[in-house]
């Protein structure tokens, strides 16, 4: 009868141990969702968004728009800057002879630039298809007082936290009147000639619409944006995918007649400064084969082009999912990763499943961005990766524990053996992959982790977790071994001072945030006769030293000095770790606190003393009596 009860217990235990991976896997997915909701992943998502836009096929030139650039040769020929009003008036007169649909002057004129101010104002009065600009957002630049509101627009645009331009205003309310952007004014005049009038949206009354095409506006939580300032009416900017999306000519070419009439007739003409010494630039990574910046006038042209293309060509403006669908998408991929990790029993099957699923996610994201839909990519990829890795690890534990149960069924100490095996396994994960994960989250929160470094850290985490699983498939952790992270196994039969030196050396080689700033180190360990320490005590001391050093790397900001010593005096041995960092280096919570409490009770007269140093720094001391 006892054997039958034991068999039932062992069978139930084996059936449920793999399922335990569902709990930490679900928790990891929840953390990723929270990280996205708090904006921690916003910068990575925006950069990935730029990458997907940059990878789109090259589009043909939009010949409905002509850029007239006042370049360095034009300025040298005129001999002064800013360009006098007289020269601008003459340029406008030359352009009007070709009968353009509308001309946008993307050059501010708050004050007259003589000579020729009267001539410029006369041109504005003569030609209703001439649009001037102002700046309505601080620092404001007012337009000439003589111009009517129908010939005024603004060229302000919002910048993201990384100072990239991905959005464009269509309109902004001001205390006196509602202002329209230059891109919307130009598109309005051009489309009106085709019988398409500007109106309020139908689905969204606050949006704008031409004909049957409603321009989808941006909300505070659209796409990867988490609480973005959505003042006025904003839209995502669907850049034209081409290194030369518009035809550009110089001021001199217009004045000398070196242009074809069909380039201008019934076209949108935008006049702006293209001399790199004077023109404004917009940073963007969404266009291939550029230096990462485009001129302000070209930026305005992209904004006009996307409206014309949406209304006339069926090239949709960028749209996003409803927020709830985005989080279902993220959670769904996380659960999919867990399912693959749980169902695949062979490593090659799991790798193949992850590869196919990851490529599918990337492919779907690329296809939908081609059709102007922006869906989450980074959060579902992270949820899928972490969900899979955690479940894969627990499946590996399941295999090892099944072997342990079969080998230990005849022994009465089976329950204690299971407990010790699981505890050692968790210690390996805690001091290996979880330390790497904590570093990723901390650097992401501080904004000190580039996208390249981010994916490199993920690859490192992937290797560490798989190394744990691979090792667990080959051997069970025993009391005679200590696993240093997930890369090295130490024999606990060695003297304790040699083990301490090995742990110190290998831990400081890990890529933890604040190890890089350490300039001065002091390390020395007195030896202890092995008769005074059991293998279990050695193992727990090794875990304590590794945990304390990892905490320095994670929490001791701007530390330059690290002192690690082990000294014996009057039968007592003191293991001391001290730094001069600005953060709290030894932060015992969760598993670290449990390990230290266990060690204190295991050692004779064991005691932990930790606290801040003056003027800065933190120390952690472990003291015990080692004489028998």
């Amino acid at each position: 009868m006892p054997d039958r009860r034991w068999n039932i217990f062992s069978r139930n235990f084996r059936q449920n141990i793999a399922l335990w991976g569902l709990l930490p896997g679900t928790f990891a997915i929840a953390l990723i969702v929270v990280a996205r909701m708090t904006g921690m992943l916003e910068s990575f998502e925006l950069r990935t968004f730029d990458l997907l836009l940059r990878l789109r096929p090259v589009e043909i030139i939009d010949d409905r728009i002509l850029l007239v650039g006042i370049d360095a040769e034009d300025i040298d020929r005129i001999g002064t800057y800013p360009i006098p009003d007289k020269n601008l008036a003459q340029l406008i007169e030359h352009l009007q002879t070709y009968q353009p649909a509308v001309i946008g002057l993307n050059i501010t004129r708050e004050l007259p630039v003589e000579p020729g101010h009267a001539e410029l104002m006369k041109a504005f009065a003569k030609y209703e298809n001439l649009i001037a600009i102002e700046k309505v957002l601080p620092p404001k630049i007012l337009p000439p007082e003589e111009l009517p509101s129908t010939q005024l627009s603004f060229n302000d645009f919002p910048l993201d936290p990384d100072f990239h331009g991905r959005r464009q205003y269509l309109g902004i309310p001001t205390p006196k009147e509602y202002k329209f952007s230059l891109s919307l004014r130009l598109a309005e005049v051009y489309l009106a000639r085709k019988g398409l009038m500007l109106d309020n949206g139908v689905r969204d009354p606050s949006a704008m619409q031409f004909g049957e095409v409603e321009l989808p506006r941006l909300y505070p939580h659209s796409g990867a944006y988490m609480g973005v300032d959505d003042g006025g009416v904003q839209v995502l900017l669907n850049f034209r995918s081409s290194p030369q999306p518009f035809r550009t000519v110089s001021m001199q070419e217009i004045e000398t007649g070196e242009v074809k009439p069909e380039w201008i007739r019934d076209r949108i003409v935008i006049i702006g400064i293209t001399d790199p010494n004077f023109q404004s630039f917009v940073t963007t990574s969404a266009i291939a084969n550029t230096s990462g910046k485009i001129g302000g006038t070209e930026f305005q042209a992209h904004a006009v082009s996307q409206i014309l293309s949406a209304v006339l060509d069926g090239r949709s403006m960028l749209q996003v999912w409803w927020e709830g669908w985005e989080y279902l998408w993220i959670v769904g991929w996380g659960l999919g990763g867990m399912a693959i990790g749980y169902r695949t029993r062979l490593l090659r099957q799991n790798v193949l499943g992850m590869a196919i699923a990851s490529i599918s996610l990337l492919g779907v994201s690329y296809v939908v961005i081609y059709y102007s839909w922006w869906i989450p990519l980074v959060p579902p990829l992270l949820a899928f990766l972490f969900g899979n890795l955690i479940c894969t690890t627990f499946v590996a534990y399941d295999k090892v524990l099944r072997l342990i149960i079969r080998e230990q069924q005849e022994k009465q100490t089976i329950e204690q053996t299971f407990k010790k095996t699981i505890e050692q396994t968790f210690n390996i994960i805690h001091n290996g992959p979880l330390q790497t994960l904590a570093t990723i989250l901390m650097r992401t929160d501080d904004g000190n982790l580039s996208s390249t470094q981010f994916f490199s850290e993920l690859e490192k985490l992937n290797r560490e977790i798989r190394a744990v699983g691979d090792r667990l498939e080959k051997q069970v952790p025993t009391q005679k071994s200590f696993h240093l992270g997930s890369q090295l196994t130490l024999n606990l039969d060695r003297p304790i001072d040699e083990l301490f030196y090995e742990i110190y050396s290998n831990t400081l080689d890990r890529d933890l945030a604040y190890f890089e700033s350490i300039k001065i180190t002091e390390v020395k360990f007195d030896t202890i006769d092995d008769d005074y320490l059991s293998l279990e005590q050695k193992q727990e001391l090794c875990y304590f030293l590794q945990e304390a050093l990892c905490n320095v790397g994670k929490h001791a900001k701007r530390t330059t000095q690290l002192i690690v010593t082990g000294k014996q005096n009057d039968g007592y041995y003191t293991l001391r770790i001290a730094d001069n960092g600005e953060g709290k280096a030894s932060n015992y919570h969760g598993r670290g606190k449990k390990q230290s409490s266990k060690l204190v009770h295991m050692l004779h007269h064991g005691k932990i003393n930790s606290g801040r140093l003056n003027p800065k720094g933190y120390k952690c001391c472990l003291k015990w009596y080692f004489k028998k």
Side-chain angles (χ1 to χ4, degrees):
M1 183 64 69
D3 291 340
R4 182 175 181 273
R5 287 198 300 267
W6 174 253
N7 289 335
I8 294 174
F9 162 77
S10 61
R11 183 172 62 254
N12 292 335
F13 187 79
R14 292 196 305 269
Q15 290 173 348
N16 290 311
I17 186 65
L19 291 174
W20 291 355
L22 299 178
L23 294 178
T26 303
F27 181 69
I29 295 172
L31 281 180
I32 291 169
V33 170
V34 171
R36 187 179 197 258
M37 295 177 67
T38 56
M40 294 176 62
L41 302 179
E42 181 176 312
S43 62
F44 296 104
E45 289 198 76
L46 292 177
R47 292 301 179 95
T48 305
F49 172 60
D50 291 342
L51 175 61
L52 291 173
L53 290 177
R54 191 165 62 248
L55 294 176
R56 293 179 301 172
V58 175
E59 298 179 87
I60 63 173
I61 189 171
D62 190 344
D63 60 3
R64 294 168 300 205
I65 300 173
L66 176 69
L67 303 184
V68 178
I70 301 176
D71 56 23
E73 292 182 2
D74 292 325
I75 294 176
D76 289 341
R77 178 170 52 84
I78 294 170
T80 183
Y81 187 87
I83 302 300
D85 291 348
K86 178 180 179 180
N87 296 88
L88 293 180
Q90 292 173 351
L91 175 60
I92 292 169
E93 289 290 350
H94 278 98
L95 288 169
Q96 290 290 359
T97 62
Y98 294 98
Q99 299 178 345
V102 60
I103 297 175
L105 183 60
N106 190 35
I107 300 174
T108 55
R109 273 297 184 266
E110 181 175 8
L111 298 175
V113 180
E114 299 292 356
H117 181 67
E119 296 177 31
L120 181 60
M121 292 302 99
K122 186 182 296 184
F124 273 100
K126 180 179 178 181
Y127 302 111
E128 294 183 358
N129 67 340
L130 183 58
I131 308 297
I133 63 164
E134 61 178 319
K135 277 187 91 297
V136 297
L137 298 179
K140 297 182 179 181
I141 300 178
L142 300 177
E145 296 181 356
E146 301 93 328
L147 297 185
S149 59
T150 56
Q151 290 183 271
L152 286 178
S153 63
F154 64 84
N155 65 349
D156 302 86
F157 58 90
L159 288 176
D160 287 336
D162 59 357
F163 300 103
H164 280 56
R166 300 183 180 92
R167 298 171 281 146
Q168 174 69 315
Y169 288 115
L170 297 182
I172 295 177
T174 65
K176 293 184 179 181
E177 59 182 326
Y178 197 89
K179 303 280 189 177
F180 293 98
S181 68
L182 175 62
S183 58
L184 186 74
R185 280 290 195 199
L186 296 176
E188 179 185 17
V189 175
Y190 184 87
L191 294 173
R193 294 163 61 96
K194 299 181 180 296
L196 300 169
M197 310 306 295
L198 176 63
D199 202 350
N200 293 109
V202 176
R203 294 186 300 273
D204 181 2
S206 297
M208 298 183 187
Q209 180 171 318
F210 288 99
E212 300 297 324
V213 179
E214 186 172 310
L215 309 181
R217 68 188 181 101
L218 190 75
Y219 294 92
H221 291 82
S222 291
Y225 290 108
M226 294 296 135
V228 67
D229 180 10
D230 63 338
V233 175
Q234 298 182 33
V235 293
L236 286 168
L237 188 50
N238 193 359
F239 290 96
R240 200 163 191 86
S241 181
S242 173
Q244 293 182 332
F246 312 104
R247 184 176 288 113
T248 302
V249 298
S250 67
M251 179 181 184
Q252 186 174 8
E253 287 175 315
I254 295 294
E255 293 177 345
T256 57
E258 300 177 29
V259 296
K260 296 180 180 180
E262 59 268 24
W263 292 357
I264 304 176
R265 184 176 297 113
D266 298 324
R267 300 294 194 265
I268 296 174
V269 178
I270 306 178
I271 303 172
I273 304 297
T274 57
D275 184 342
N277 296 314
F278 300 107
Q279 74 167 330
S280 60
F281 287 96
V282 180
T283 302
T284 177
S285 302
I287 306 175
N289 300 322
T290 64
S291 61
K293 292 183 178 182
I294 61 174
T297 301
E298 182 180 338
F299 183 83
Q300 296 295 331
H302 278 284
V304 179
S305 178
Q306 76 161 353
I307 298 175
L308 301 185
S309 299
V311 177
L312 300 176
D313 305 335
R315 178 183 183 265
S316 300
M317 298 184 66
L318 288 170
Q319 304 176 72
V320 298
W321 277 350
W322 171 61
E323 191 175 1
W325 286 113
E326 292 186 338
Y327 286 106
L328 286 175
W329 177 254
I330 295 169
V331 172
W333 276 96
L335 295 177
M338 293 170 59
I340 292 175
Y342 182 71
R343 297 297 299 176
T344 55
R345 297 295 173 175
L346 297 177
L347 179 60
R348 62 176 178 271
Q349 294 176 342
N350 185 63
V351 171
L352 179 62
M354 285 187 67
I356 293 174
S358 299
I359 293 173
S360 299
L361 175 58
L362 294 171
V364 169
S365 300
Y366 177 76
V367 170
V368 297
I369 203 72
Y370 177 78
Y371 289 101
S372 302
W373 280 93
W374 180 22
I375 64 174
L377 173 58
V378 173
L381 186 61
L382 291 178
F384 175 79
L385 178 63
F386 283 114
N388 178 270
L389 292 180
I390 290 174
C391 279
T392 300
T393 302
F394 272 82
V395 167
Y397 299 160
D398 181 49
K399 292 181 181 179
V400 175
L401 291 173
R402 286 171 186 264
L403 177 62
I404 296 174
I405 291 173
R406 288 195 300 268
E407 292 178 349
Q408 298 294 330
Q409 280 182 344
E410 297 179 357
K411 299 179 182 180
Q412 296 299 319
T413 59
I414 185 68
E415 183 176 357
Q416 180 180 2
T417 303
F418 285 159
K419 180 179 179 181
K420 191 172 298 296
T421 301
I422 294 173
E423 181 178 0
Q424 291 182 19
T425 302
F426 270 92
N427 285 336
I428 295 170
I429 298 173
H430 178 264
N431 292 330
L434 289 184
Q435 298 289 354
T436 302
L437 177 59
T439 301
I440 293 174
L441 293 175
M442 179 174 63
R443 288 187 172 180
T444 301
D445 189 45
D446 292 341
N448 293 329
L449 196 63
S450 68
S451 58
T452 301
Q453 293 172 329
F454 179 76
F455 285 108
S456 175
E457 290 292 331
L458 286 182
E459 290 176 358
K460 177 183 177 183
L461 180 62
N462 184 14
R463 291 194 301 270
E464 289 184 346
I465 294 179
R466 294 192 182 283
V468 175
D470 290 343
R471 186 177 60 248
L472 290 175
E473 288 184 319
K474 297 176 181 178
Q475 69 174 61
V476 178
T478 67
Q479 288 184 331
K480 291 187 178 182
S481 63
F482 174 78
H483 300 284
L484 190 55
S486 59
Q487 306 299 323
L488 181 63
T489 300
L490 303 181
N491 187 351
L492 293 177
D493 287 331
R494 296 170 58 185
I496 190 64
D497 58 316
E498 292 183 11
L499 294 173
F500 282 167
Y501 277 114
E502 192 80 26
I503 292 169
Y504 169 85
S505 175
N506 280 273
T507 303
L508 257 69
D509 285 338
R510 297 182 64 171
D511 186 22
L512 296 182
Y514 302 122
F515 281 162
E516 299 176 354
S517 61
I518 296 177
K519 306 299 182 183
I520 302 174
T521 59
E522 178 182 342
V523 55
K524 182 179 180 182
F525 300 108
D526 293 346
T527 188
I528 303 177
D529 192 329
D530 279 356
D531 292 338
Y532 295 136
L533 287 173
S534 66
L535 292 178
E536 187 176 7
Q537 288 173 328
K538 282 186 174 183
Q539 186 179 64
E540 293 301 322
L541 285 170
C542 290
Y543 281 132
F544 172 84
L545 177 58
Q546 187 183 53
E547 170 75 8
L549 291 172
C550 286
N551 279 327
V552 173
K554 291 190 300 181
H555 302 290
K557 296 181 179 179
R558 287 182 282 277
T559 184
T560 59
Q561 185 176 30
L562 177 63
I563 300 175
V564 185
T565 58
K567 298 181 179 180
Q568 57 169 303
N569 184 28
D570 294 333
Y572 282 90
Y573 194 95
T574 303
L575 182 60
R576 184 174 185 268
I577 301 94
D579 63 81
N580 66 341
E582 298 178 4
K584 185 175 181 181
S586 296
N587 190 10
Y588 287 101
H589 294 288
R591 189 150 194 88
K593 182 177 181 181
K594 182 178 179 181
Q595 289 176 352
S596 61
S597 299
K598 177 181 178 181
L599 182 57
V600 167
H601 288 89
M602 183 182 295
L603 297 171
H604 189 43
H605 295 305
K607 182 180 179 182
I608 289 181
N609 179 26
S610 60
R612 296 189 179 279
L613 298 174
N614 188 23
K616 64 179 181 177
Y618 199 86
K619 69 173 182 179
C620 181
C621 299
L622 172 65
K623 184 177 182 181
W624 75 94
Y625 189 78
F626 63 88
K627 297 291 185 181
K628 291 188 177 180

